[in-house]
Protein backbone atom coordinates (compact mmCIF):
# COMPACT_ATOMS: atom_id res chain seq x y z
CA UNK A 1 0.00 0.00 0.00
CA UNK A 2 1.48 3.33 -1.05
CA UNK A 3 0.43 6.87 -0.31
CA UNK A 4 1.69 9.92 -2.21
CA UNK A 5 4.09 12.56 -0.94
CA UNK A 6 3.03 16.20 -1.36
CA UNK A 7 5.87 18.69 -1.53
CA UNK A 8 5.17 22.22 -0.26
CA UNK A 9 7.49 25.05 -1.23
CA UNK A 10 7.61 27.41 1.75
CA UNK A 11 7.60 26.63 5.44
CA UNK A 12 5.10 29.17 6.77
CA UNK A 13 1.88 28.66 8.69
CA UNK A 14 -0.07 27.57 5.61
CA UNK A 15 2.25 24.60 5.12
CA UNK A 16 2.05 23.90 8.86
CA UNK A 17 -1.75 23.78 8.77
CA UNK A 18 -1.69 21.29 5.89
CA UNK A 19 0.11 18.79 8.16
CA UNK A 20 -2.82 17.58 10.34
CA UNK A 21 -4.91 17.01 7.22
CA UNK A 22 -2.09 15.07 5.56
CA UNK A 23 -1.80 12.89 8.67
CA UNK A 24 -5.54 12.16 8.60
CA UNK A 25 -5.33 11.14 4.93
CA UNK A 26 -2.15 9.11 5.41
CA UNK A 27 -0.38 11.42 2.97
CA UNK A 28 3.24 12.39 3.58
CA UNK A 29 4.01 16.11 3.61
CA UNK A 30 7.53 17.25 2.72
CA UNK A 31 8.27 20.96 3.09
CA UNK A 32 11.03 22.98 1.43
CA UNK A 33 11.65 25.37 4.31
CA UNK A 34 13.55 28.64 4.33
CA UNK A 35 15.22 27.79 7.66
CA UNK A 36 15.08 25.18 10.41
CA UNK A 37 13.02 27.36 12.73
CA UNK A 38 10.15 28.39 10.45
CA UNK A 39 6.55 27.55 11.24
CA UNK A 40 6.11 24.23 9.41
CA UNK A 41 9.29 22.46 10.55
CA UNK A 42 7.77 21.25 13.83
CA UNK A 43 4.81 19.72 12.01
CA UNK A 44 6.17 18.03 8.86
CA UNK A 45 9.21 16.44 7.28
CA UNK A 46 11.34 19.23 5.87
CA UNK A 47 14.40 20.12 3.85
CA UNK A 48 16.05 23.52 4.27
CA UNK A 49 16.73 25.20 0.94
CA UNK A 50 16.45 28.31 -1.19
CA UNK A 51 13.27 28.30 -3.28
CA UNK A 52 14.88 30.86 -5.60
CA UNK A 53 17.55 28.34 -6.65
CA UNK A 54 16.53 26.04 -9.51
CA UNK A 55 18.84 23.16 -8.57
CA UNK A 56 17.41 23.14 -5.04
CA UNK A 57 13.88 22.99 -6.42
CA UNK A 58 14.78 20.21 -8.87
CA UNK A 59 16.37 18.11 -6.12
CA UNK A 60 13.33 18.66 -3.90
CA UNK A 61 11.03 17.59 -6.74
CA UNK A 62 12.80 14.21 -6.97
CA UNK A 63 11.46 13.22 -3.55
CA UNK A 64 7.78 14.15 -3.97
CA UNK A 65 4.85 13.24 -6.20
CA UNK A 66 3.42 16.73 -6.62
CA UNK A 67 4.59 20.21 -5.63
CA UNK A 68 2.32 22.90 -4.25
CA UNK A 69 3.01 26.20 -2.52
CA UNK A 70 2.84 28.06 0.78
CA UNK A 71 3.45 31.34 -1.10
CA UNK A 72 3.63 32.67 -4.67
CA UNK A 73 7.22 33.92 -4.71
CA UNK A 74 8.98 31.08 -6.57
CA UNK A 75 10.51 32.46 -9.80
CA UNK A 76 8.17 31.73 -12.72
CA UNK A 77 11.05 30.68 -14.99
CA UNK A 78 12.08 27.98 -12.49
CA UNK A 79 8.55 26.61 -12.41
CA UNK A 80 8.42 26.52 -16.19
CA UNK A 81 11.66 24.50 -16.29
CA UNK A 82 10.32 22.08 -13.69
CA UNK A 83 7.10 21.63 -15.63
CA UNK A 84 9.03 21.00 -18.85
CA UNK A 85 11.04 18.37 -16.96
CA UNK A 86 7.81 16.55 -16.10
CA UNK A 87 7.36 17.70 -12.49
CA UNK A 88 3.73 17.83 -11.36
CA UNK A 89 3.00 21.37 -10.11
CA UNK A 90 -0.26 22.46 -8.51
CA UNK A 91 -0.88 25.12 -9.58
CA UNK A 92 1.35 25.24 -12.63
CA UNK A 93 3.27 28.36 -13.70
CA UNK A 94 0.68 29.24 -16.34
CA UNK A 95 -1.88 29.74 -13.56
CA UNK A 96 0.35 30.90 -10.70
CA UNK A 97 1.62 33.89 -12.67
CA UNK A 98 -1.79 35.53 -12.21
CA UNK A 99 -1.22 35.54 -8.45
CA UNK A 100 2.45 36.49 -8.82
CA UNK A 101 2.06 39.48 -11.14
CA UNK A 102 -0.73 41.99 -10.60
CA UNK A 103 -0.35 43.52 -14.07
CA UNK A 104 -0.76 40.12 -15.71
CA UNK A 105 -3.73 39.46 -13.44
CA UNK A 106 -5.46 42.73 -14.33
CA UNK A 107 -5.08 42.01 -18.04
CA UNK A 108 -6.53 38.52 -17.57
CA UNK A 109 -9.52 39.79 -15.58
CA UNK A 110 -10.23 42.22 -18.44
CA UNK A 111 -9.99 39.36 -20.95
CA UNK A 112 -12.46 37.33 -18.86
CA UNK A 113 -14.84 40.30 -18.72
CA UNK A 114 -14.91 40.47 -14.93
CA UNK A 115 -15.54 43.66 -12.90
CA UNK A 116 -12.44 45.41 -11.58
CA UNK A 117 -11.16 48.96 -10.91
CA UNK A 118 -9.94 51.11 -13.78
CA UNK A 119 -6.21 50.49 -14.13
CA UNK A 120 -3.07 51.27 -16.14
CA UNK A 121 0.47 49.96 -16.51
CA UNK A 122 2.92 52.83 -15.90
CA UNK A 123 6.69 52.95 -16.37
CA UNK A 124 7.46 56.50 -15.24
CA UNK A 125 6.21 59.33 -13.07
CA UNK A 126 4.94 61.09 -16.20
CA UNK A 127 2.90 58.05 -17.20
CA UNK A 128 1.60 57.83 -13.64
CA UNK A 129 0.48 61.46 -13.75
CA UNK A 130 -1.30 60.88 -17.06
CA UNK A 131 -2.99 57.76 -15.70
CA UNK A 132 -4.01 59.60 -12.56
CA UNK A 133 -5.69 62.30 -14.60
CA UNK A 134 -7.48 59.71 -16.76
CA UNK A 135 -8.61 57.51 -13.88
CA UNK A 136 -9.12 60.33 -11.41
CA UNK A 137 -7.32 60.81 -8.10
CA UNK A 138 -7.08 59.26 -5.60
CA UNK A 139 -5.35 56.24 -7.14
CA UNK A 140 -3.44 53.26 -5.75
CA UNK A 141 0.09 52.51 -6.95
CA UNK A 142 1.23 48.89 -6.58
CA UNK A 143 4.36 46.91 -7.32
CA UNK A 144 3.25 44.08 -9.63
CA UNK A 145 5.31 41.45 -7.79
CA UNK A 146 6.41 40.85 -4.23
CA UNK A 147 3.82 42.89 -2.34
CA UNK A 148 1.65 41.36 0.39
CA UNK A 149 -0.17 42.40 3.59
CA UNK A 150 -0.19 46.02 2.51
CA UNK A 151 3.45 46.12 1.39
CA UNK A 152 4.18 47.47 -2.08
CA UNK A 153 1.04 49.64 -2.00
CA UNK A 154 0.87 53.46 -1.99
CA UNK A 155 -2.37 55.44 -1.98
CA UNK A 156 -1.85 58.69 -3.91
CA UNK A 157 -4.40 61.37 -3.18
CA UNK A 158 -3.19 63.94 -5.69
CA UNK A 159 -0.85 64.69 -8.58
CA UNK A 160 1.53 66.31 -6.10
CA UNK A 161 1.84 63.04 -4.20
CA UNK A 162 2.31 61.15 -7.47
CA UNK A 163 5.31 63.35 -8.26
CA UNK A 164 7.04 61.98 -5.14
CA UNK A 165 7.17 58.39 -6.44
CA UNK A 166 10.47 58.53 -8.38
CA UNK A 167 12.12 55.90 -6.15
CA UNK A 168 9.42 53.37 -6.98
CA UNK A 169 10.36 53.54 -10.65
CA UNK A 170 14.04 52.89 -9.95
CA UNK A 171 13.46 49.34 -8.68
CA UNK A 172 13.32 45.88 -10.23
CA UNK A 173 10.00 46.38 -12.03
CA UNK A 174 9.80 47.50 -15.64
CA UNK A 175 6.32 48.87 -14.95
CA UNK A 176 4.01 49.44 -12.00
CA UNK A 177 0.26 49.05 -11.61
CA UNK A 178 -1.92 52.06 -10.91
CA UNK A 179 -5.62 51.64 -10.34
CA UNK A 180 -8.62 53.57 -9.09
CA UNK A 181 -9.13 53.75 -5.35
CA UNK A 182 -12.44 51.99 -4.94
CA UNK A 183 -15.19 53.37 -2.71
CA UNK A 184 -16.41 50.09 -1.23
CA UNK A 185 -18.80 49.08 1.55
CA UNK A 186 -16.68 46.18 2.78
CA UNK A 187 -14.07 43.70 1.60
CA UNK A 188 -15.05 40.18 0.63
CA UNK A 189 -13.32 36.94 -0.27
CA UNK A 190 -14.61 34.19 -2.56
CA UNK A 191 -12.76 30.89 -2.31
CA UNK A 192 -12.89 28.00 -4.73
CA UNK A 193 -11.05 24.71 -5.05
CA UNK A 194 -10.27 23.24 -8.46
CA UNK A 195 -8.97 19.71 -8.76
CA UNK A 196 -6.57 18.17 -11.27
CA UNK A 197 -9.72 16.49 -12.63
CA UNK A 198 -11.39 19.87 -13.28
CA UNK A 199 -13.92 19.45 -10.48
CA UNK A 200 -14.66 22.68 -8.60
CA UNK A 201 -16.22 23.56 -5.25
CA UNK A 202 -16.90 27.04 -3.88
CA UNK A 203 -17.19 28.24 -0.29
CA UNK A 204 -19.65 30.88 0.91
CA UNK A 205 -18.40 34.41 0.31
CA UNK A 206 -17.00 35.93 3.51
CA UNK A 207 -16.52 39.47 4.79
CA UNK A 208 -13.00 40.47 5.75
CA UNK A 209 -11.84 43.35 7.92
CA UNK A 210 -8.33 44.63 7.23
CA UNK A 211 -6.12 46.47 9.70
CA UNK A 212 -2.97 48.17 8.37
CA UNK A 213 -3.22 46.09 5.19
CA UNK A 214 -3.41 42.77 7.05
CA UNK A 215 -6.51 40.57 7.26
CA UNK A 216 -7.72 40.88 10.85
CA UNK A 217 -11.26 39.50 11.12
CA UNK A 218 -13.34 37.25 8.89
CA UNK A 219 -17.11 36.81 9.18
CA UNK A 220 -18.38 33.71 7.44
CA UNK A 221 -20.69 33.77 5.59
CA UNK A 222 -20.64 37.51 4.89
CA UNK A 223 -23.52 39.03 6.88
CA UNK A 224 -25.98 41.22 5.00
CA UNK A 225 -24.62 40.10 1.63
CA UNK A 226 -27.52 39.52 -0.71
CA UNK A 227 -27.84 36.10 -2.32
CA UNK A 228 -27.50 37.52 -5.83
CA UNK A 229 -24.09 39.06 -5.12
CA UNK A 230 -22.92 35.93 -3.28
CA UNK A 231 -23.87 33.81 -6.30
CA UNK A 232 -22.25 36.24 -8.75
CA UNK A 233 -19.01 36.37 -6.76
CA UNK A 234 -18.83 32.58 -6.54
CA UNK A 235 -19.50 32.38 -10.27
CA UNK A 236 -16.69 34.88 -10.91
CA UNK A 237 -14.33 32.73 -8.82
CA UNK A 238 -15.29 29.73 -10.96
CA UNK A 239 -14.73 31.72 -14.16
CA UNK A 240 -11.24 32.66 -12.93
CA UNK A 241 -10.38 29.14 -11.77
CA UNK A 242 -11.39 27.69 -15.12
CA UNK A 243 -9.99 30.60 -17.13
CA UNK A 244 -6.47 30.37 -15.71
CA UNK A 245 -6.47 26.61 -15.09
CA UNK A 246 -5.68 26.75 -11.39
CA UNK A 247 -5.20 23.59 -9.34
CA UNK A 248 -5.77 23.77 -5.59
CA UNK A 249 -7.31 26.57 -3.57
CA UNK A 250 -7.94 29.99 -5.11
CA UNK A 251 -8.92 33.05 -3.06
CA UNK A 252 -10.45 35.95 -4.95
CA UNK A 253 -10.29 39.10 -2.83
CA UNK A 254 -13.14 41.47 -3.65
CA UNK A 255 -14.45 44.94 -2.97
CA UNK A 256 -18.16 44.97 -2.11
CA UNK A 257 -19.62 47.73 -4.30
CA UNK A 258 -23.41 47.36 -4.08
CA UNK A 259 -23.98 50.48 -6.19
CA UNK A 260 -22.33 48.88 -9.24
CA UNK A 261 -23.98 46.47 -11.67
CA UNK A 262 -22.02 43.41 -10.46
CA UNK A 263 -22.07 44.39 -6.78
CA UNK A 264 -18.33 43.74 -6.44
CA UNK A 265 -14.92 44.39 -8.02
CA UNK A 266 -11.94 42.05 -8.09
CA UNK A 267 -8.99 43.19 -5.99
CA UNK A 268 -6.32 40.43 -5.91
CA UNK A 269 -5.85 36.66 -6.26
CA UNK A 270 -4.07 34.07 -4.12
CA UNK A 271 -3.55 30.50 -5.37
CA UNK A 272 -3.14 28.58 -2.14
CA UNK A 273 -4.96 28.34 1.17
CA UNK A 274 -5.57 31.88 2.38
CA UNK A 275 -6.00 33.78 5.62
CA UNK A 276 -9.62 34.53 4.71
CA UNK A 277 -10.31 30.79 4.66
CA UNK A 278 -8.97 29.88 8.11
CA UNK A 279 -12.55 29.88 9.41
CA UNK A 280 -13.11 26.65 7.49
CA UNK A 281 -10.86 24.69 9.89
CA UNK A 282 -13.67 24.69 12.45
CA UNK A 283 -16.60 26.25 10.61
CA UNK A 284 -16.99 24.15 7.42
CA UNK A 285 -17.47 20.47 6.70
CA UNK A 286 -14.18 20.47 4.74
CA UNK A 287 -11.38 22.84 5.67
CA UNK A 288 -9.53 24.75 2.97
CA UNK A 289 -6.38 22.79 3.87
CA UNK A 290 -8.00 19.40 3.33
CA UNK A 291 -9.65 20.72 0.18
CA UNK A 292 -6.29 21.94 -1.14
CA UNK A 293 -4.67 18.54 -0.67
CA UNK A 294 -7.66 16.77 -2.21
CA UNK A 295 -7.47 19.09 -5.21
CA UNK A 296 -3.73 18.77 -5.87
CA UNK A 297 -3.94 14.97 -5.55
CA UNK A 298 -6.99 14.66 -7.80
CA UNK A 299 -9.22 13.31 -5.03
CA UNK A 300 -12.95 14.11 -5.05
CA UNK A 301 -13.55 17.46 -3.37
CA UNK A 302 -15.27 17.74 -0.01
CA UNK A 303 -18.50 19.44 1.01
CA UNK A 304 -18.11 23.16 1.75
CA UNK A 305 -21.24 23.69 3.88
CA UNK A 306 -20.87 25.82 7.02
CA UNK A 307 -21.50 23.90 10.26
CA UNK A 308 -22.91 26.96 12.08
CA UNK A 309 -24.92 30.02 11.05
CA UNK A 310 -21.73 32.11 11.38
CA UNK A 311 -18.07 31.60 12.16
CA UNK A 312 -15.73 34.42 13.17
CA UNK A 313 -11.98 34.21 12.57
CA UNK A 314 -9.70 36.65 14.41
CA UNK A 315 -5.96 36.87 13.81
CA UNK A 316 -3.68 37.64 16.70
CA UNK A 317 -0.43 39.52 16.21
CA UNK A 318 2.62 39.71 18.42
CA UNK A 319 2.46 42.07 21.41
CA UNK A 320 4.19 42.15 24.81
CA UNK A 321 3.35 38.57 25.82
CA UNK A 322 5.98 36.06 24.67
CA UNK A 323 4.54 33.10 26.62
CA UNK A 324 1.58 32.39 24.35
CA UNK A 325 0.96 28.92 25.77
CA UNK A 326 0.93 30.37 29.27
CA UNK A 327 -2.07 32.49 28.26
CA UNK A 328 -4.06 29.58 26.85
CA UNK A 329 -5.61 28.54 30.21
CA UNK A 330 -6.94 32.07 30.76
CA UNK A 331 -8.47 32.19 27.27
CA UNK A 332 -9.81 28.66 27.32
CA UNK A 333 -11.41 29.02 30.73
CA UNK A 334 -13.20 32.20 29.71
CA UNK A 335 -14.16 30.93 26.23
CA UNK A 336 -14.28 27.13 26.19
CA UNK A 337 -15.89 27.12 22.74
CA UNK A 338 -13.11 29.17 21.14
CA UNK A 339 -10.74 27.27 18.87
CA UNK A 340 -7.16 28.51 19.19
CA UNK A 341 -4.61 28.02 16.43
CA UNK A 342 -0.93 28.89 16.96
CA UNK A 343 1.69 29.04 14.21
CA UNK A 344 4.80 28.10 16.21
CA UNK A 345 6.41 31.46 15.52
CA UNK A 346 8.50 33.60 17.83
CA UNK A 347 6.73 36.73 18.99
CA UNK A 348 7.50 40.07 17.37
CA UNK A 349 5.27 43.15 17.56
CA UNK A 350 2.87 43.12 14.63
CA UNK A 351 3.85 39.62 13.45
CA UNK A 352 0.97 37.29 12.55
CA UNK A 353 1.37 34.40 15.02
CA UNK A 354 -2.01 32.69 15.19
CA UNK A 355 -5.78 32.95 14.93
CA UNK A 356 -8.95 32.13 16.82
CA UNK A 357 -12.18 30.69 15.44
CA UNK A 358 -15.49 31.06 17.26
CA UNK A 359 -18.68 29.47 15.94
CA UNK A 360 -21.97 31.32 16.42
CA UNK A 361 -23.93 28.10 16.85
CA UNK A 362 -26.90 30.10 18.16
CA UNK A 363 -26.71 32.61 15.31
CA UNK A 364 -25.45 35.45 17.55
CA UNK A 365 -22.74 36.93 15.33
CA UNK A 366 -21.99 39.85 17.66
CA UNK A 367 -21.37 37.56 20.62
CA UNK A 368 -19.08 35.33 18.53
CA UNK A 369 -17.17 38.38 17.29
CA UNK A 370 -16.71 39.69 20.82
CA UNK A 371 -15.52 36.29 22.06
CA UNK A 372 -13.05 35.90 19.19
CA UNK A 373 -11.57 39.35 19.73
CA UNK A 374 -11.29 38.92 23.50
CA UNK A 375 -9.70 35.47 23.17
CA UNK A 376 -7.10 36.81 20.76
CA UNK A 377 -6.30 39.79 23.00
CA UNK A 378 -5.92 37.60 26.09
CA UNK A 379 -3.35 35.51 24.22
CA UNK A 380 -1.52 38.57 22.89
CA UNK A 381 -1.26 40.27 26.27
CA UNK A 382 -1.14 37.28 28.59
CA UNK A 383 -3.89 38.56 30.87
CA UNK A 384 -7.60 39.23 30.93
CA UNK A 385 -7.29 42.82 32.17
CA UNK A 386 -5.51 44.15 29.11
CA UNK A 387 -6.21 47.74 28.09
CA UNK A 388 -9.12 47.67 25.66
Amino acid sequence: MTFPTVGVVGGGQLARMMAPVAINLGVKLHVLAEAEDVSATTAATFTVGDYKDYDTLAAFADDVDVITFDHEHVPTEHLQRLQEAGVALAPGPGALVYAQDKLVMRAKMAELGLPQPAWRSVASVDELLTAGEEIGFPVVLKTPRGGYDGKGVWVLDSANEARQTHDWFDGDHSALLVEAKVDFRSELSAQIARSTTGETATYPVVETIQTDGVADIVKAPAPQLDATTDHAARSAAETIAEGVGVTGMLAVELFHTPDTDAGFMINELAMRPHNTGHWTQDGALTSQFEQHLRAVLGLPLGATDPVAPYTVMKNYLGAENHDLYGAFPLAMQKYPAAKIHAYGKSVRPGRKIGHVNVLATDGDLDAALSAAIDTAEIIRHGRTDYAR
Side-chain angles (χ1 to χ4, degrees):
M1 185 182 301
T2 59
F3 285 79
T5 297
V6 176
V8 184
V9 177
Q13 63 261 24
L14 301 180
R16 177 188 179 93
M17 288 185 277
M18 293 182 205
V21 176
I23 290 170
N24 290 344
L25 294 175
V27 172
K28 184 176 180 181
L29 205 67
H30 188 176
V31 174
L32 181 62
E34 298 84 349
E36 291 188 358
D37 60 350
V38 295
S39 186
T41 57
T42 60
T45 301
F46 69 94
T47 298
V48 174
D50 182 3
Y51 63 82
K52 297 177 184 177
D53 178 68
Y54 175 77
D55 291 337
T56 298
L57 289 168
F60 179 68
D62 286 339
D63 295 327
V64 303
D65 294 291
V66 60
I67 288 179
T68 190
F69 306 93
D70 171 89
H71 58 74
E72 292 101 346
H73 305 312
V74 182
T76 306
E77 61 270 20
H78 292 352
L79 298 177
Q80 291 170 338
R81 285 182 64 185
L82 290 173
Q83 188 175 65
E84 291 167 1
V87 176
L89 302 171
L96 192 61
V97 68
Y98 297 107
Q100 292 176 318
D101 192 308
K102 295 179 179 66
L103 282 170
V104 176
M105 180 271 291
R106 284 283 177 234
K108 187 65 175 180
M109 296 306 98
E111 177 188 322
L112 294 173
L114 296 173
Q116 61 180 341
W119 65 280
R120 302 286 189 278
S121 172
V122 294
S124 67
V125 174
D126 286 341
E127 290 186 6
L128 171 60
L129 288 167
T130 299
E133 292 301 322
E134 292 174 352
I135 295 171
F137 287 98
V139 296
V140 183
L141 185 64
K142 297 181 178 181
T143 56
R145 287 179 177 257
Y148 65 97
D149 285 350
K151 299 177 179 65
V153 177
W154 191 348
V155 178
L156 304 171
D157 290 322
S158 66
N160 285 337
E161 286 191 15
R163 293 188 182 96
Q164 309 305 313
T165 62
H166 289 280
D167 289 349
W168 276 45
F169 292 94
D170 294 334
D172 299 328
H173 306 285
S174 59
L176 302 178
L177 170 66
V178 62
E179 59 189 37
K181 185 176 185 293
V182 177
D183 182 17
F184 57 87
R185 177 179 294 179
S186 62
E187 294 188 65
L188 306 172
S189 178
Q191 282 192 293
I192 185 171
R194 184 173 182 271
S195 172
T196 58
T197 65
E199 180 189 5
T200 60
T202 60
Y203 286 87
V205 176
V206 303
E207 178 182 328
T208 74
I209 299 173
Q210 310 282 321
T211 302
D212 296 328
V214 179
D216 184 26
I217 293 170
V218 170
K219 302 174 184 178
Q224 301 176 341
L225 182 67
D226 63 274
T228 300
T229 303
D230 176 84
H231 176 75
R234 292 169 78 155
S235 296
E238 187 156 3
T239 296
I240 295 169
E242 296 286 354
V244 306
V246 71
T247 303
M249 288 300 304
L250 165 69
V252 183
E253 297 181 74
L254 306 164
F255 298 120
H256 184 199
T257 54
D259 294 332
T260 64
D261 290 342
F264 63 89
M265 290 187 184
I266 293 166
N267 182 14
E268 295 182 355
L269 308 180
M271 294 185 188
R272 49 175 169 76
H274 192 252
N275 199 166
T276 59
H278 291 349
W279 71 275
T280 63
Q281 287 176 293
D282 304 294
L285 288 175
T286 307
S287 80
Q288 64 167 341
F289 298 100
E290 178 180 346
Q291 199 79 292
H292 187 71
L293 291 186
R294 287 189 184 210
V296 303
L297 291 169
L299 295 171
L301 299 178
T304 60
D305 309 66
V307 299
Y310 294 104
T311 298
V312 174
M313 189 283 303
K314 173 71 172 75
N315 281 330
Y316 55 90
L317 310 183
E320 72 271 17
N321 178 37
H322 288 252
D323 182 14
L324 301 181
Y325 185 74
F328 284 5
L330 292 173
M332 290 175 173
Q333 184 173 26
K334 189 171 183 181
Y335 298 105
K339 299 297 184 180
I340 298 170
H341 299 265
Y343 301 159
K345 292 180 173 181
S346 59
V347 176
R348 292 200 306 265
R351 188 185 198 189
K352 196 184 298 181
I353 52 177
H355 68 272
V356 175
N357 286 332
V358 175
L359 277 64
T361 54
D362 59 357
D364 191 338
L365 176 59
D366 290 339
L369 176 62
S370 178
I373 292 172
D374 198 28
T375 302
E377 293 303 312
I378 290 170
I379 296 169
R380 293 183 70 224
H381 299 289
R383 60 187 190 275
T384 57
D385 61 344
Y386 60 89
R388 294 176 184 266

